[in-house]
Amino acid sequence: AQSVAQPEDQVNVAEGNPLTVKCTYSVSGNPYLFWYVQYPNRGLQFLLKYITGDNLVKGSYGFEAEFNKSQTSFHLKKPSALVSDSALYFCAVRDMTDSSYKLIFGSGTRLLVRP
Amino acid sequence: EPEVTQTPSHQVTQMGQEVILRCVPISNHLYFYWYRQILGQKVEFLVSFYNNEISEKSEIFDDQFSVERPDGSNFTLKIRSTKLEDSAMYFCASSDRGHEKLFFGSGTQLSVL
């Protein structure tokens, strides 16, 4: 069965410092991996995806994520955090070899960037 | 950027009542989804819809749930007889291809009393 783990409920970082939000996944086949962000009273917004190719993918707002097949991880990173990055971040996976289109989401990580 | 819109933003209902949650997906999208998020828990898949029929549904999506695309623009989720445990934020989403990124609406907060 597919699953996603986000081990940290909250990540705190000072503005200007690098940030990492962790995600590990489990699928039986090859994964499609996604990061979404949720701001208060808003729906989930797409940040970036990994389908195939380069393990380092770049997305919106300066975020990037690195796919690591051996560690089954897809950590979200940003070199320099902004206060406006404070939000709820969700990692999601879909099994590429499955005919299903559903995404399986992690439990979310709250990012708090302090000034 | 185009948006998925959902109405209402909040819905309060009594247990046993029927509710209809409405969504207008992005106009050229072909795949439609409902997800829900119970307070403090994960975002969970409910159902996907393509070519005017359900393509997949989760265990949560039992006989009390149904979806419909009554015209070319709306996509609705009906809960026939609501239960307390149906209280959650319900998100509609759409995509132009099945494996591509989903665009989510802002959600409908359903409270069953």
Side-chain angles (χ1 to χ4, degrees):
Chain A
Q2 303 164 46
S3 66
V4 176
Q6 293 182 243
E8 303 150 317
D9 290 336
Q10 183 161 313
V11 169
N12 298 304
V13 65
E15 187 173 33
N17 283 358
L19 69 88
T20 299
V21 182
K22 295 180 181 176
C23 171
T24 58
Y25 66 89
S26 173
V27 296
S28 54
N30 291 318
Y32 285 158
L33 291 156
F34 301 82
W35 276 101
Y36 285 83
V37 60
Q38 186 180 28
Y39 297 101
N41 302 315
R42 301 290 300 274
L44 283 73
Q45 294 179 36
F46 170 82
L47 272 182
L48 51 78
K49 67 181 179 185
Y50 171 82
I51 303 294
T52 187
D54 194 349
N55 289 344
L56 184 65
V57 293
K58 295 186 184 295
S60 308
Y61 313 121
F63 284 93
E64 58 189 31
E66 185 163 15
F67 170 62
N68 187 317
K69 188 171 183 177
S70 62
Q71 297 185 6
T72 62
S73 67
F74 190 57
H75 302 330
L76 181 70
K77 300 182 181 187
K78 187 173 182 181
S80 179
L82 299 172
V83 172
S84 57
D85 293 329
S86 298
L88 191 55
Y89 290 80
F90 291 95
C91 182
V93 69
R94 183 171 94 72
D95 191 334
M96 192 187 294
T97 54
D98 195 336
S99 58
S100 163
Y101 293 135
K102 72 181 179 189
L103 288 180
I104 303 299
F105 284 88
S107 54
T109 299
R110 188 164 300 281
L111 174 66
L112 183 60
V113 182
R114 58 185 186 277
Chain B
E1 186 171 72
E3 286 187 340
V4 174
T5 56
Q6 289 186 244
T7 54
S9 56
H10 293 86
Q11 175 85 52
V12 181
T13 190
Q14 296 291 323
M15 190 170 58
Q17 293 296 305
E18 175 183 286
V19 294
I20 297 176
L21 310 183
R22 302 181 191 279
C23 170
V24 179
I26 294 171
S27 61
N28 62 340
H29 284 184
L30 301 176
Y31 296 82
F32 313 109
Y33 311 82
W34 284 99
Y35 286 78
R36 79 173 186 188
Q37 184 180 28
I38 295 172
L39 187 63
Q41 297 186 25
K42 293 185 179 188
V43 177
E44 302 173 292
F45 169 80
L46 292 178
V47 66
S48 59
F49 191 86
Y50 170 71
N51 203 24
N52 286 320
E53 61 182 21
I54 291 174
S55 48
E56 187 176 8
K57 59 185 180 181
S58 72
E59 300 149 354
I60 303 167
F61 195 89
D62 61 22
D63 292 344
Q64 294 301 310
F65 289 85
S66 62
V67 289
E68 199 174 44
R69 188 155 162 82
D71 52 43
S73 60
N74 292 287
F75 180 51
T76 61
L77 175 69
K78 182 193 291 187
I79 309 175
R80 261 182 274 285
S81 178
T82 50
K83 303 187 285 283
L84 295 176
E85 55 265 37
D86 293 329
S87 295
M89 178 72 87
Y90 287 80
F91 292 107
C92 174
S94 68
S95 65
D96 57 358
R97 285 176 286 175
H99 61 272
E100 278 296 334
K101 68 182 184 185
L102 271 60
F103 290 78
F104 284 84
S106 299
T108 294
Q109 181 65 55
L110 176 65
S111 299
V112 182
L113 306 179

